[in-house]
Amino acid sequence: ARTELDSNTDGLQSHELAHQWFGDYVTCRDWSDIWLNESFATYFQAMWDEHKLGSDDFLYSDVKANQDAYLAAWKQGNRHPIVTKNYANPDAVFDTYAYPRGGAVLHMLRQTLGEENWWKAINYYLTKYANQPVETEQFRIAIEESTGQAMDWFFDEWLYKMGHPIFRVTQDYDAATKVLKLSVEQLQTIDTTSQFPQVTLFQTPVNIEIGTQSGTRVERVQILPKKQQSFSLAVDSKPLLVNFDYHGTLIKELLFDKSTEDLSYQMTRDEDVLGRIWALSQLQQRVTAATSSDAEKQQIASEFAKVATQDKFWGMRANAATALADLKTPGARSALIAATGDPDARVRARAVASLATSKDPSLASLYVKLLNDQSYAVIKNAAFALGATRSPEAYDALVKLLNLPSWRDNIRASALSGLGELKDMRALDIALRYAARGNANQVRAAALRLLGRIGRDSPQAFSLIAEIAGKAFESDNFTLATAAGEALVSLGDAKGLQLLEKISQNPELPLQLKARLAEYQESLRKSVAGTAGQGNRQP
């Protein structure tokens, strides 16, 4: 029950249950069509959240999260269509495109078709191809046969080609004619180095929310495959709010320059949670920009403080708490302290994490109090924050925390992480004891990191870390291997380089661990070189 204050397995269970229809009852004919299994399970998992938790959670935790996961993969250079026969091996297709990107595309499809046609198409598809393997084209044809709508343009853009639109939107209000003019420019360019088919210009319906003194309405317009396009919309007065892509349906990047006042209004007044989230993110960028004035930063900080404590949706309060970490104002601090008492554990945890960045010893008593929270995530962040204060009361409070029972020893691992931040040498025996075999993996991992922080003068510490590192990399124990690698880097001992070099000779080392190992080797080389350089300096 305590664990579920922070997260639960409903997503996993609903995803796997959805595979009864998508993957079992009807399954993909070829690996290139794996999205017919995994994207559907991903999106039906999202629709369970919509049913169980409501629209705001669905939009924030599923629709936006799926889009963000894809955009992160894109920026890292992982770029290909969802449906492609060009893959290295079957395992390679189980990636971001088969899961979150495909889930995001299905959400766009649902919004494009409308609720009635969406369910009509899904029912027809499953009925027609029951107990059969299928291809993507058969799904497209099923939609067309059941709804009468041509879908070749949609499948061509979002499934058979790669990419997404980058929209630059500008707005202009003509007071004489009471007309709002929106100009939409597509800025995406073709990647000439890619072998995959790409979309040059996108076409798609998009919903635009317009708010004036008399109320709010949503207009649906059609984006054409044109570089630039304008829309003229009649309004009764100057718009207070213009939200391009109401409810954040589209996979896109959006450049929409607005004043601080307009963004603040949208962040606090927009009924669309994703509109509020977007406005907050824009203000967050503005407050860290060198061009922002102190007065503007103070104004934004004040707005963030209100959102962190007053917004009706937990995700907004949590995001505002994160944004406040960059603002070292009395108002920001007061709001974060208040947010540590939020009814939602996820907000409390974010608030503590933001407060921790100050490393302020005067907050130690607050963190000690929060070590009694019911949420394991809050306790974890409070232990880390308490250690970072280096307060005299931190050591005893964290050692006491070691003895509290918890699911999978979450609290004990958190106490060890806090001691790692504290860097108190009295914790050496504790670290050696909990790093040893017989403890839970995450406890051993936290103890290893603690040893790395305080064991530089202990031969026993290096010996234990080296032993665990060798076994962990050999047995593909990612949790212990990464913790041991980080500990070796923290120790800065030249003998660690020899050990890591020996481990790297293993030809069966998984690719993910190889990449981490290379990072540890590079970091340790720099650490050892820096230590040697300091030692060679003349007094």
Side-chain angles (χ1 to χ4, degrees):
R2 293 183 68 179
T3 300
E4 291 201 347
L5 293 173
D6 308 313
S7 62
N8 60 48
T9 59
D10 280 10
L12 171 63
Q13 294 179 50
S14 55
H15 180 104
E16 301 308 335
L17 285 167
H19 274 313
Q20 292 179 102
W21 292 274
F22 309 102
D24 297 344
Y25 193 60
V26 172
T27 194
C28 63
R29 182 182 298 277
D30 187 86
W31 289 119
S32 61
D33 294 304
I34 192 63
W35 84 287
L36 294 173
N37 293 18
E38 297 302 345
S39 300
F40 277 77
T42 298
Y43 189 57
F44 274 72
Q45 163 190 335
M47 286 196 292
W48 166 255
D49 288 342
E50 183 180 26
H51 165 78
K52 179 73 173 179
L53 304 174
S55 176
D56 283 357
D57 260 284
F58 164 69
L59 292 171
Y60 175 74
S61 301
D62 293 294
V63 173
K64 182 178 186 299
N66 284 339
Q67 294 172 358
D68 288 348
Y70 154 71
L71 290 170
W74 177 268
K75 288 175 183 177
Q76 290 167 6
N78 182 3
R79 302 179 177 186
H80 62 79
I82 290 178
V83 180
T84 176
K85 293 186 181 297
N86 190 345
Y87 52 85
N89 55 65
D91 284 342
V93 303
F94 290 86
D95 67 355
T96 302
Y97 287 79
Y99 292 84
R101 159 82 183 200
V105 167
L106 284 173
H107 181 64
M108 289 193 295
L109 177 62
R110 178 184 173 195
Q111 299 307 307
T112 299
L113 291 173
E115 202 70 3
E116 182 179 350
N117 277 333
W118 160 258
W119 286 113
K120 185 187 293 183
I122 293 297
N123 184 281
Y124 181 82
Y125 165 67
L126 290 173
T127 303
K128 181 174 182 178
Y129 298 112
N131 302 305
Q132 297 177 50
V134 292
E135 298 173 349
T136 299
E137 274 298 278
Q138 290 170 287
F139 177 52
R140 179 183 68 81
I141 292 168
I143 298 173
E144 295 183 344
E145 289 179 346
S146 58
T147 69
Q149 295 190 32
M151 297 305 299
D152 52 334
W153 66 272
F154 185 95
F155 278 62
D156 185 60
E157 278 188 359
W158 297 110
L159 292 158
Y160 298 133
K161 292 182 179 179
M162 74 177 197
H164 58 271
I166 302 174
F167 293 121
R168 175 187 284 149
V169 178
T170 55
Q171 68 179 66
D172 183 57
Y173 172 65
D174 188 330
T177 59
K178 292 187 176 181
V179 169
L180 169 68
K181 181 181 179 182
L182 283 183
S183 298
V184 181
E185 182 181 5
Q186 297 194 37
L187 302 178
Q188 67 277 0
T189 57
I190 293 295
D191 182 355
T192 57
T193 65
S194 175
Q195 62 187 312
F196 293 108
Q198 302 172 55
V199 181
T200 304
L201 294 167
F202 286 81
Q203 60 175 312
T204 181
V206 62
N207 290 330
I208 299 169
E209 178 190 20
I210 305 169
T212 64
Q213 292 285 4
S214 61
T216 301
R217 77 176 197 270
V218 177
E219 292 272 354
R220 190 176 179 90
V221 300
Q222 181 69 33
I223 301 290
L224 300 175
K226 298 168 62 175
K227 183 71 175 173
Q228 290 182 310
Q229 191 176 356
S230 295
F231 303 95
S232 295
L233 304 168
V235 290
D236 55 20
S237 60
K238 184 178 180 179
L240 300 170
L241 167 67
V242 179
N243 178 4
F244 183 84
D245 191 21
Y246 177 69
H247 283 172
T249 296
L250 301 178
I251 299 172
K252 67 184 185 302
E253 293 179 57
L254 176 63
L255 306 175
F256 193 170
D257 191 29
K258 295 187 177 186
S259 68
T260 296
E261 290 71 23
D262 284 348
L263 287 171
S264 295
Y265 184 93
Q266 183 171 359
M267 179 178 68
T268 55
R269 306 287 185 85
D270 196 346
E271 281 301 309
D272 174 15
V273 67
L274 295 191
R276 300 203 304 278
I277 289 284
W278 178 83
L280 187 151
S281 71
Q282 297 300 298
L283 288 170
Q284 194 171 359
Q285 294 174 26
R286 191 161 297 186
V287 83
T288 55
T291 54
S292 296
S293 66
D294 289 341
E296 185 177 33
K297 290 179 180 179
Q298 289 285 351
Q299 177 189 348
I300 294 172
S302 176
E303 295 290 346
F304 283 172
K306 291 177 184 176
V307 173
T309 54
Q310 297 176 17
D311 195 276
K312 61 184 180 180
F313 179 58
W314 72 266
M316 273 296 292
R317 300 196 303 276
N319 278 30
T322 298
L324 286 169
D326 297 324
L327 301 167
K328 311 302 181 186
T329 66
R333 175 189 167 101
S334 297
L336 287 172
I337 291 173
T340 63
D342 194 277
D344 194 294
R346 295 164 291 188
V347 179
R348 299 199 299 274
R350 292 272 197 102
V352 176
S354 290
L355 284 171
T357 61
S358 70
K359 301 183 180 181
D360 185 351
S362 69
L363 293 170
S365 58
L366 171 65
Y367 299 143
V368 171
K369 179 182 176 182
L370 289 167
L371 295 179
N372 296 312
D373 199 280
Q374 282 297 297
S375 159
Y376 291 140
V378 173
I379 292 173
K380 178 181 179 179
N381 289 352
F384 181 93
L386 179 59
T389 65
R390 308 287 171 84
S391 167
E393 60 183 312
Y395 182 78
D396 288 341
L398 291 169
V399 170
K400 182 180 178 182
L401 200 64
L402 287 167
N403 298 317
L404 293 184
S406 59
W407 185 67
R408 290 188 174 176
D409 272 346
N410 275 293
I411 293 179
R412 181 169 292 156
S414 298
L416 291 165
S417 296
L419 289 169
E421 283 302 299
L422 187 61
K423 297 181 182 178
D424 191 315
M425 296 300 296
R426 289 177 291 175
L428 182 61
D429 286 341
I430 292 172
L432 290 168
R433 180 164 79 250
Y434 286 115
R437 292 181 65 178
N439 295 293
N441 256 6
Q442 69 166 335
V443 170
R444 296 183 72 192
L448 284 168
R449 293 186 174 95
L450 170 57
L451 276 178
R453 294 289 187 92
I454 64 175
R456 182 163 289 196
D457 298 323
S458 168
Q460 192 177 358
F462 178 84
S463 177
L464 181 57
I465 293 170
E467 177 189 349
I468 294 172
K471 292 179 179 177
F473 276 97
E474 184 179 351
S475 62
D476 301 343
N477 186 326
F478 190 84
T479 300
L480 292 184
T482 53
E486 291 171 22
L488 288 169
V489 172
S490 297
L491 284 180
D493 193 318
K495 295 195 298 293
L497 282 174
Q498 300 171 18
L499 173 65
L500 293 177
E501 177 61 29
K502 181 180 178 182
I503 292 172
S504 70
Q505 301 305 312
N506 180 1
E508 297 181 2
L509 204 62
L511 192 61
Q512 193 176 20
L513 279 179
K514 274 186 180 179
R516 287 295 183 93
L517 190 61
E519 292 175 12
Y520 300 143
Q521 287 177 294
E522 180 62 23
S523 297
L524 188 50
R525 282 192 197 97
K526 291 179 180 178
S527 176
V528 171
T531 303
Q534 292 175 0
N536 290 332
R537 290 176 185 166
Q538 295 299 315

